[in-house]
Amino acid sequence: MNTPSLFKRIPAAHLRHGLKTGLASLIAYEASRALGLPYGYWAVISTVIVMQVYVADSVRMCLYRFFGTAMGAGIGIFSIWAFPPGDLWNDAAIALTLGFCGFMTRYSPRFRMAAITVSVVFVGSFGSPMDERIVYALWRVMEITLGVGTAFLVSVLVFPERLEKHLSERLNNQKGQAADLCRELTAAFVHGVASPPFHGMQALSAEIRKNRETLSGITHHEFLFVRRKRGDTLESVINGLERTADHLAVMAHALEKEALLKERFHMENEILDLAEACAVTLTRMRDTDEPVDCRDLQGALSACDARLLDLRKQGATFRFDLDILAGFYEFYSALKVLAQDLIRGMGKK
């Protein structure tokens, strides 16, 4: 096996994540030893749980783990104080506290972590006096907090992998996919391809739907590292891609009319030129952060409109069945609006 080629296939972000996880775990373990914490492995476990590839995901997991642990410790300590010793009372406490946490996950997923902490604090201290059980609970909170804090610092300070950078790369890839789909859908329309690229359309739409969730993670958990203006720019690009996907979906829907693929509308060259201009504009937007020159796209759009007007004056559209004509205008209108959107919005970053 060629070792250099193997390393090239492994994403650099995941290599850094592996190194950071090992470093954070080591720091948490040594820190727990230095502080004399009795069960330092809880710090290591917490570090491994919350360490994620991207800063935003690590911060989200840190908050989830920390607040879930705090809530669980509070519930566990209350249970230790409120329920007398004895198997029957212990059974009742377990059922009530964990049942309560399970119900409360309806309102916050952090109660899932709280339930785990209640189990550790309450069940793990069976057989000890009340004071020792409460001290046991507080030690667990300290160990878990140490692990969470270590993971947070390492994630933010050591080779931080920004989710904002990952989203930018993904958006650029989606622009390229949209450009290819625009060409393929238009070629299917013009040349009467019986199997249009519906699968590619569905895959792109599914990818674009994920962008909002990723942007939300950035604005909520990377807010200290991302400029407000940059966040607004990402949202603008996402809005543009969502509109692009909508237009492409309408074009794909028009191609479901098989009879439409058998007709010729005598403006195939103009439609191909318009689709190519849209695809070229999307590709340029992928490759540069500078404003994109849309004059070629505007020219192709004007040529299409002029050709269609000329055909209508000649009465060429009268020979088509109404359903065929509706399908043609559905496809052409979606392509035209896509071009107009690129000129007005996405083409002017």
Side-chain angles (χ1 to χ4, degrees), residues 253-270:
H253 179 265
L255 294 180
E256 293 179 1
K257 301 179 177 67
E258 293 185 6
L260 181 68
L261 301 176
K262 300 175 183 178
E263 296 290 346
R264 292 295 174 263
F265 297 95
H266 307 292
M267 59 178 295
E268 284 80 3
N269 290 336
E270 288 81 5

Side-chain angles (χ1 to χ4, degrees), residues 19 75 78 92 98 129 158 193 209 211 242 247-248 298 322:
L19 293 173
I75 295 170
F78 174 79
L98 297 184
V158 180
V193 176
R209 282 195 294 270
N211 294 335
E242 287 173 344
H247 302 322
L248 293 174
Q298 182 65 67
L322 185 59

Side-chain angles (χ1 to χ4, degrees), residues 74-85 122 130-131 133-134:
I75 295 170
I77 290 173
F78 174 79
S79 302
I80 291 170
W81 172 79
F83 289 87
F122 190 80
M130 180 187 296
D131 291 347
R133 296 185 74 184
I134 292 175

Side-chain angles (χ1 to χ4, degrees), residues 284-295:
R284 288 173 179 170
M285 290 165 47
R286 178 196 66 188
D287 297 336
T288 181
D289 291 328
E290 299 299 321
V292 175
D293 186 351
C294 293
R295 285 177 292 183

Side-chain angles (χ1 to χ4, degrees), residues 236-255:
S236 176
V237 174
I238 290 172
N239 289 336
L241 275 169
E242 287 173 344
R243 292 195 302 272
T244 297
D246 289 341
H247 302 322
L248 293 174
V250 174
M251 293 164 63
H253 179 265
L255 294 180

Side-chain angles (χ1 to χ4, degrees), residues 203-236:
L204 177 61
S205 297
E207 281 295 312
I208 288 177
R209 282 195 294 270
K210 298 176 185 177
N211 294 335
R212 289 282 172 193
E213 182 180 353
T214 304
L215 180 62
S216 176
I218 292 170
T219 55
H220 284 87
H221 304 303
E222 280 188 7
F223 60 91
L224 293 177
F225 319 105
V226 178
R227 300 187 304 276
R228 174 70 182 178
K229 183 177 180 182
R230 180 57 178 161
D232 292 342
T233 300
L234 289 172
E235 183 167 12
S236 176

Side-chain angles (χ1 to χ4, degrees), residues 179 182-187 189-191 251 266-282 284 294-305 307 331-332 335-336 338-339 342-343:
C182 185
R183 292 187 178 102
E184 292 172 14
L185 290 169
T186 305
F189 173 74
V190 169
H191 301 302
M251 293 164 63
H266 307 292
M267 59 178 295
E268 284 80 3
N269 290 336
E270 288 81 5
I271 290 177
L272 284 171
D273 289 343
L274 180 57
E276 180 63 23
C278 288
V280 168
T281 300
L282 283 164
R284 288 173 179 170
C294 293
R295 285 177 292 183
D296 291 343
L297 179 56
Q298 182 65 67
L301 181 58
S302 299
C304 263
D305 282 342
R307 178 58 177 162
F331 185 94
Y332 175 68
L335 180 59
K336 178 178 177 178
L338 170 59
L342 292 173
I343 293 169

